[in-house]
Structures are given as structure tokens and as C-alpha cells.
Amino acid sequence: MQRSLFPSADSDGRAISSLGTALEGLNDAQREAATCLGSPVLVIAGAGTGKTRTLVHRMAYLVDQGISAENILLLTFTRKAAQEMIDRAGRLIDHSAQRITGGTFHAVANILLRRFGHHLGYASNFTILDRSDSEGILNLIKSSLNLGSSGKRFPTRRVICNLLSRAVNKSRSLEETVEDQYAHLAEFLDDLVKIQKHYHQFKLEHGLMDYDDLLVNLQKVLSQVGEVRREVSGRFRHILVDEYQDTNPLQADIVRLAAEGHNNVMVVGDDSQSIYSFRGADFRNIMDFPQIFPGTTLIRLEENYRSTQAILSLTNAIIDHATEKYNKKLFSSIAGGDKPIVNGTWDDSAQARWVCDRISGLVDAGVPLSEMAVLFRSGFHSYKLELELTNRQIIFEKRGGMKLTESAHIKDILSYLRVINNPADHLSWNRILLLLDKVGPKTVQRVLETIRSAEDPLAALHEYPAPPAWRAQLKALLTMLKDISAPGFTPVMMYDAAMDYYREIFERIYHDDYPTRSRDLEQLRQLVAGYPDLQSFMDDTTLDPPGATDETAGGRLGGDGESLVLSTIHSAKGLEWDHVFVIHLAAGRFPTCQPFMRDEWEEERRMFYVAATRARKNLYLTYLRESNSFDRQAASGGISPFLAEIPSHLVQGGESMTGWSGAAVSAAVVTRSRQPRDISMFQEGVAVRHPFFGEGRIEKSAGTRSVEVFFSRHGRKTLHLDYARLEVIE
């Protein structure tokens, strides 16, 4: 429910309550945070330490001290969170807390801009565009400028919208955003800049704002118009911000500007849980808060009400190694609890079996599936586990990332393998033929009618009278299928040959984001490589086993709506379970970056911390002893550097755990040794070739034995010269 921000303040509206009610049930640190007045306050709230409770009691205390509810502003990241906190504050005192203004940054910006937008040329009745509206306008502008009609695969409106939004939320120019995140679209940069300018002008002329404009324009009016800034800061004498570590640069600046003149700001957050840089969140906001607001009082919430001390000792050890942090030590009075289990398995299949065995054991012991979760760094890390869970008929739901066969590009490449395994699979033939340029559904139906009754569909297709427009494409397809049907081809050899054929189609169809999708295809290759024959692989990738109907569901592990949760760590933040498994804690997979990429490396460490702090009773950490690197070499394998840093006395080993001595293991020994290459030839400006990324040129050194290479098809990549099969082009 939106409230008017500027009604006349009711000076007699303070709650009549006792101080005991406003502060009842708080521990010493929470009480200090709730009652600290006279300075900016930074509350570093460790995982599970009651930050929401602290904010609720802070609001109640302010009202109890005679501060009018209308002078309090609560900023959150969801409307639901704001409303729940205000309702809870009201229950502590009385209805006057309902007059506190609370909501998301965007919702508050919307209301303020209705009052002050005229300073920027907007009437109070401006329209807010939803995503589809924005994309429609961008498409209209693209057409009016006659862009994308030259035959080049111009970025879609969806990608243009993403690109413009990313630039805003990271407070970066469009040029910088393209260079860093969309290098494969660099050839269109001038046209994209032109679209951006026309889009801005179109919105202004028609009284329109998109979602990002709400923040941009609020920051602009607060910074440029002194009278607005003074009125807003005068109205909101106390500002509270939840999850401050997730704010982007615009949001942090809005808080600074709105508090000008009084600096009565309390922000609550955890630097150790800052993991959303891809959305624009800036770790520096929480770290630099004391510099932005001189005289800040720093308060740490360290008593955890979620996890056992055994789990917290490990999470403390994870974050102890962070290069920049607010020091804190989580502790708990929750009794009992086993040390977290660390288990190393030889490969992905063994890891999946080990996790499923533990899950089955917990179910046998009476633990509901809904009290268990398996967490991972990237969506594709769960693929093998999904197959194992399905084969064992364990019900699961996946959050973040897609299931193995849900992605269009994965379905494409699997279709080539399926028709080799079963030439009568017309569903796969339909998909394959539709991938050919200038071939539509009606044409495909005619082709399928021709081969439907053929004894040998491949031979029948060879005889099909394809028109010149796509005859050569059909011939190339059939040649590839014939090649991979030859005796002696292993599943991974089939996959590689199919990928060599498919790559050009893949980049044509998924032109906007094929660099991102490429990672899924590489991970699928690693999955295929674990199978001795194609039939076994196909059986496992049928994610709905024959006979798994509603009638048989009662015989599966989990029932009555219960299911195991598989989740990326990003999607799991804020949630908790009794039993948590964190998988793929292996070098090269978690973290996915190199140590010299400091910001990315530290954020990955924080992701590990977030994952481990989701567990209440038991935590299981698994890693692979053997795995393949991104460029198809058996280069990575062994324990993650983050896991290797943890003292061995804080964990217990699993059945196959041998030879790990905790902190004695360094990142230098967790990868299989290789003969170092002579790197003298890999200098700036040298043309090189990579087996997957193709031809590129070295732009600069990126560390002792790494280089940054710009590939025309895949953009900028950082490669380690000892592992990447990089060749100099003479």
C-alpha cells in the first residue's frame, strides 16, 4: 500500500508504550543497534544473527522516543519485507508505526518523483514502463533508425534492454559495459549508443520512465536541486536500510543525498554475503560507509540463532581468509551438532552417488526431503546429480539455472545424438531440420512424411530433392551424422563431431548470448565423456523415467508435496535447511576464476560462506579429485583452494577422504601437475588460435602465466598458458 510521503506530520502521533516493550528480547548487540542515536550506524549482521528483528525494534524504539513515524524511512529490497517489518513494529508499540514510510528503493523513488519530477521535465502523471513496453519501444527505435536490416545479426530488443539496464545499475557507460560484458557485440557499439540516446529522448518526450529511470532520476533530482534535497532530508530525519551490501552505486548515493544535513542513517548488512555484483551490487558501498558518513558507529551482530557451533566454526574459517572484511566471529548457544563432513570423490558420477546415498539415509532416519538442500556454484553443476536423483526416484525441485534438458541449445545438440541412437525419433528429426536456415515447419513436415516409412531415414534423406536454398546445409548435416555413426566412435567423439558441425548454427541462432550458453555445452561434454556407450547416456538423460506417473509417485522418496531442493547459491541466499550439501568444491569449479582476479575471487569466497551458513544441523562439502578444464584438458581436479584453507580439525572426512591435511594443502597442489610452457612467444599483439574459441589476439598479460585474449566470436577471455591449448598463428 502506497502512502503519501508528505502529509502534515502528526506531532502527537507518538506511541504510548514502555521502553521495555520496544527493546524486549534483544541481546546486548541488538539492543545497542536499536538504541544508538546521534551518529550514522553501520550494523554488520552475520548470517542468522537477527538483523530483521533489530530493524523492527529500532523503528519501535525511535517512535517510543518521540520521533514521529512520518519522519522515519525504511528502505528494503522487497515490498513484502518492508510491510512485514512495519507490521511487527506496530505490534510492539501501537498503530502509529503504520505511518512509517517503507518500501523498495524503486517504490519510494516513484512516489518522490511524482512530487519532484517536474524539475527534470516530467509531469506528475508520468507512466512507468514494464519490461515488454521498454523492449517494444527499443524495437520501434531500431526500426525507425533502419538498424538491423543490413543482413547482420543485430542484437535483439531483449539483449539491448539488458545491456542498457546493466550500464545503469553498475553506473558505467554503455561503451564500458559492451567492452566488459558484451564484447561479441562490439561491432554494433555505435548503433547501440545511438539507440540509447533516442530511447532517452523518446521517454522524456512521452512522459515515460522505465524501472531503472526511477533510481536514475531520483538521484539526479536530489543531486541537482538543493531545495528538493533539503525537503526530503527534512522530512526523513531517520533512514534505515536493509541488506545494504546488495545496494548498487545509485542506491548508495540516494541514501547519502537523502540524509544530507543530519546523517541519521542506520544500514544493516553483511559484507560477507555480498554476492550480487552481476546485478550491479557494489561491495564497496558497505566497506566505504564509514568514509562516506564520518563518525559512524560500527556494531557487530555475532550471536547466531540458526546453526550449531560446529558449522559456525567452519564458516568463520571460510571468511577469515578474506582480503577485506569487517572482522566478526559468529557463535551459537545451540547445543549438539556434528562437525561438517568433507568428502572427495573421483568424479562427478561418484559424487552424485555419494550425495544420493546420504539423502536416502537421512530419509530412512525420518528427515523430510524438504529439510534438505543441495547447493552449487553454477546451474550446470547439478546435471549429473539430477540424473542420479531421477534414477533413484527421489523427488526434487531446482531453483536457479535450468534442468539439463530444458535449455534450447542443450536440446539441439542432444537431438543429433538421439537420431544416431534411434533413427526413427521424428521429434528429434523435427528439431534438427528446423535448425537449417530457410527451413520452416511446413517444409519439415513434408520431409518427415517422406522418411517416415523408410527403413533407413539417413539414406532416404540423401535422396530427398532439397531445393538449392538449403541443399548444401542438408548435405553437411547428413555427412556429420554418417561420420559419427561409424563403428568405434565413443559418445564423446560423437559429441565433438556434432559440435564442430553445430557451432555455426549455434552462433547464428543464439547470437545475442552464445558466449554464456557455450559454458553449458562444455559442461555437457564433460557429462557425455563419462559414458562408455551412447545408449547408457540416452537412458540417463531421459529425466522422466518410464512409468513415473502420479500413481507411482507414492513409491518414490518424498511425498505429500515434499521435495529435495537443488539450488544455485545465489538463489539460496536468505533460506535455510537442517541438512545442506555443497557440491563441486573443486579447483576450477569453485572458484571459477583465478587468484589474480581479486574482486571475482573474493566474491566467490563469499558465495562459499553464504552456502555454508544455510545449514542448521549438518553440512556436507564435496569435491572431485578428477575433472576436466574448460578447454577440454584434464587440468583441474582436487580440493577447492577455499576448502583447503580450512583447518582440518574443524571437519570430518568422508569414507573416500584421504590425504587432506586442511590448511597444509595449498592452491598450488590441488591441480594436476603439467610441464610449464615456454610463454615468451605469447606477447601483446600476437595472433593465436584456441581449439574452442577460435582465432584471437593477445591484448595483455593477466598475471605471471596468463594472458587476456580477444576472440572475434567469443569476446575477451583470460587464459592460463599452462593449461589452455593456445597456439601462435605464424
Side-chain angles (χ1 to χ4, degrees):
M1 180 178 67
Q2 289 187 353
R3 306 178 183 84
S4 172
L5 290 185
F6 293 88
S8 57
D10 179 6
S11 59
D12 298 324
R14 61 168 294 200
I16 301 173
S17 66
S18 69
L19 185 60
T21 303
L23 301 177
E24 187 175 358
L26 299 182
N27 64 36
D28 290 345
Q30 292 170 339
R31 179 183 292 264
E32 182 185 3
T35 60
C36 183
L37 299 175
S39 72
V41 182
L42 170 59
V43 180
I44 298 299
T49 57
K51 69 174 180 62
T52 299
R53 182 181 184 83
T54 302
L55 281 167
V56 167
H57 284 263
R58 169 79 170 186
M59 289 186 287
Y61 178 77
L62 290 174
V63 174
D64 191 86
Q65 292 301 293
I67 295 164
S68 177
E70 288 87 350
N71 293 139
I72 301 171
L73 173 64
L74 172 66
L75 293 168
T76 64
F77 279 85
T78 68
R79 181 175 62 178
K80 180 181 177 183
Q83 191 58 58
E84 285 181 353
M85 282 190 258
I86 291 171
D87 289 344
R88 285 173 59 181
R91 290 196 292 272
L92 286 176
I93 42 178
D94 66 14
H95 69 278
S96 63
Q98 291 296 323
R99 294 200 296 275
I100 293 173
T101 297
T104 66
F105 279 88
H106 292 85
V108 171
N110 172 44
I111 300 172
L112 288 171
L113 287 170
R114 299 288 174 191
R115 181 179 178 95
F116 301 119
H118 64 91
H119 291 284
L120 304 177
Y122 280 94
S124 61
N125 64 341
F126 64 82
T127 299
I128 300 175
L129 300 169
D130 62 21
R131 174 66 185 235
S132 61
D133 292 333
S134 295
E135 290 185 5
I137 293 170
L138 288 168
N139 209 42
L140 180 67
I141 291 170
K142 186 174 75 170
S143 298
S144 68
L145 295 174
N146 199 30
L147 300 175
S149 59
S150 61
K152 291 184 178 180
R153 297 189 296 273
F154 200 83
T156 63
R157 56 188 178 182
R158 176 183 65 85
V159 168
I160 297 172
C161 202
N162 287 341
L163 200 160
L164 298 183
S165 181
R166 184 178 289 269
V168 167
N169 283 290
K170 283 189 169 287
S171 295
R172 306 195 75 189
S173 69
L174 191 61
E175 291 84 352
E176 290 172 318
T177 305
V178 169
E179 181 180 354
D180 287 351
Q181 303 289 329
Y182 296 83
H184 61 295
L185 303 180
E187 63 180 303
F188 303 110
L189 179 57
D190 290 343
D191 290 337
L192 291 169
V193 170
K194 194 179 298 183
I195 289 174
Q196 182 187 44
K197 290 177 179 176
H198 281 264
Y199 181 51
H200 173 76
Q201 191 61 34
F202 184 96
K203 289 182 293 183
L204 189 60
E205 290 175 355
H206 293 84
L208 306 170
M209 289 191 203
D210 62 26
Y211 196 63
D212 295 322
D213 289 329
L214 294 171
L215 296 184
V216 170
N217 289 331
L218 178 57
Q219 190 275 344
K220 188 180 294 185
V221 75
L222 286 174
S223 63
Q224 295 179 359
V225 187
E227 64 184 88
V228 172
R229 188 165 62 252
R230 287 187 291 274
E231 187 171 351
V232 170
S233 65
R235 177 61 178 180
F236 298 121
R237 305 297 299 175
H238 291 270
I239 300 175
L240 293 76
V241 187
D242 189 22
E243 302 283 15
Y244 193 71
Q245 79 280 348
D246 293 337
T247 55
N248 65 28
L250 274 173
Q251 290 164 328
D253 204 40
I254 286 169
V255 172
R256 178 185 66 82
L257 292 165
E260 186 178 284
H262 58 72
N263 284 353
N264 291 324
V265 177
M266 185 177 92
V267 301
V268 180
D270 185 2
D271 55 299
S272 300
Q273 297 188 69
S274 178
I275 63 172
Y276 292 115
S277 64
F278 69 97
R279 293 182 187 168
D282 193 338
F283 177 69
R284 296 256 45 96
N285 288 348
I286 195 165
M287 299 309 298
D288 295 343
F289 185 87
Q291 285 73 53
I292 296 169
F293 291 93
T296 290
T297 299
L298 175 63
I299 300 170
R300 295 174 175 85
L301 303 186
E302 297 173 298
E303 183 172 0
N304 177 283
Y305 296 94
R306 172 190 301 161
S307 307
T308 64
Q309 187 58 52
I311 291 172
L312 297 180
S313 294
L314 180 138
T315 61
N316 287 336
I318 293 171
I319 215 65
D320 276 347
H321 291 273
T323 57
E324 188 175 11
K325 63 184 180 296
Y326 289 104
N327 291 320
K328 59 182 177 295
K329 289 288 183 184
L330 298 184
F331 65 92
S332 174
S333 59
I334 298 174
D338 296 327
K339 291 180 181 179
I341 291 176
V342 175
N343 189 65
T345 59
W346 283 114
D347 58 19
D348 209 343
S349 297
Q351 177 181 249
R353 290 193 298 271
W354 189 87
V355 170
C356 287
D357 287 345
R358 296 300 163 285
I359 290 169
S360 297
L362 288 168
V363 171
D364 290 342
V367 178
L369 277 178
S370 57
E371 283 302 334
M372 300 180 229
V374 182
L375 309 182
F376 31 85
R377 168 64 182 84
S378 302
F380 51 73
H381 285 171
S382 69
Y383 286 172
K384 191 67 182 180
L385 179 60
E386 292 173 37
L387 300 178
E388 186 69 23
L389 289 167
T390 301
N391 287 339
R392 298 198 190 198
Q393 295 191 330
I394 298 175
I395 300 173
F396 68 91
E397 60 174 296
K398 186 170 181 180
R399 302 175 184 176
M402 302 182 79
K403 290 184 179 179
L404 176 59
T405 56
E406 288 180 346
S407 302
H409 52 294
I410 296 292
K411 290 181 178 180
D412 292 345
I413 194 69
L414 288 179
S415 293
Y416 298 120
L417 303 182
R418 283 178 174 149
V419 298
I420 294 301
N421 191 57
N422 175 17
D425 182 352
H426 281 223
L427 187 63
S428 292
W429 276 118
N430 183 75
R431 187 175 196 93
I432 288 169
L433 293 170
L434 282 174
L435 292 174
L436 302 179
D437 197 19
K438 304 188 187 307
V439 174
K442 290 184 178 178
T443 300
V444 170
Q445 288 308 309
R446 287 196 296 270
V447 175
L448 292 179
E449 284 299 321
T450 302
I451 67 172
R452 191 176 300 279
S453 57
E455 218 173 281
D456 184 347
L458 273 175
L461 277 173
H462 270 290
E463 301 300 322
Y464 187 81
W470 52 278
R471 186 181 300 153
Q473 294 180 70
L474 180 61
K475 182 179 179 182
L477 167 64
L478 296 174
T479 299
M480 180 273 291
L481 293 174
K482 181 181 178 182
D483 288 346
I484 67 176
S485 302
F489 260 65
T490 64
V492 75
M493 291 167 65
M494 294 179 181
Y495 182 88
D496 286 345
M499 270 304 305
D500 287 342
Y501 162 81
Y502 174 62
R503 189 164 291 113
E504 185 177 343
I505 295 171
F506 170 62
E507 293 181 5
R508 168 172 57 84
I509 294 176
Y510 306 106
H511 173 66
D512 293 326
D513 60 354
Y514 70 82
T516 301
R517 292 174 183 258
S518 293
R519 297 188 209 123
D520 292 345
L521 294 171
E522 279 296 311
Q523 293 301 319
L524 179 61
R525 182 192 184 275
Q526 293 183 23
L527 192 61
V528 173
Y531 287 85
D533 61 87
L534 189 58
Q535 185 64 59
S536 299
F537 174 69
M538 288 303 161
D539 289 346
D540 273 0
T541 53
T542 304
L543 291 182
D544 293 315
T549 62
D550 290 340
E551 287 76 17
T552 64
R556 299 156 81 184
L557 276 184
D560 300 326
E562 265 187 35
S563 61
L564 171 75
V565 170
L566 307 186
S567 177
T568 61
I569 296 168
H570 286 112
S571 296
K573 186 174 177 291
L575 304 176
E576 57 190 73
W577 297 268
D578 281 349
H579 308 273
V580 171
F581 298 78
V582 186
I583 62 174
H584 282 295
L585 283 163
R589 293 201 176 190
F590 199 157
T592 59
C593 56
Q594 298 294 327
F596 61 80
M597 302 168 70
R598 176 179 163 179
D599 291 345
E600 292 88 342
W601 183 270
E602 289 302 311
E603 181 159 324
E604 299 254 333
R605 186 194 306 280
R606 296 193 293 270
M607 274 191 268
F608 182 25
Y609 173 85
V610 167
T613 54
R614 301 307 95 199
R616 291 191 288 249
K617 296 180 179 178
N618 291 103
L619 178 62
Y620 305 85
L621 308 171
T622 73
Y623 68 95
L624 306 185
R625 299 178 185 278
E626 297 261 354
S627 64
N628 295 319
S629 67
F630 185 74
D631 63 345
R632 306 181 181 181
Q633 304 235 5
S636 63
I639 202 164
S640 164
F642 299 150
L643 192 50
E645 292 168 343
I646 296 172
S648 58
H649 70 272
L650 296 179
V651 301
Q652 52 181 319
E655 288 88 331
S656 61
M657 186 68 200
T658 58
W660 178 49
S661 58
V665 180
S666 70
V669 298
V670 296
T671 58
R672 185 180 303 174
S673 61
R674 291 175 59 91
Q675 188 65 32
R677 298 180 67 177
D678 176 9
I679 64 172
S680 60
M681 66 189 77
F682 297 99
Q683 302 297 322
E684 183 178 334
V686 171
V688 292
R689 182 182 293 107
H690 185 276
F692 182 76
F693 299 128
E695 294 186 0
R697 190 169 296 277
I698 296 175
E699 293 193 332
K700 63 180 179 180
S701 171
T704 308
R705 303 187 67 80
S706 299
V707 290
E708 280 192 13
V709 184
F710 184 83
F711 295 97
S712 57
R713 288 186 171 187
H714 294 270
R716 186 172 290 98
K717 303 291 178 185
T718 300
L719 301 175
H720 194 290
L721 293 171
D722 288 343
Y723 297 118
R725 289 190 291 175
L726 207 59
E727 299 175 356
V728 172
I729 300 175
E730 298 296 339

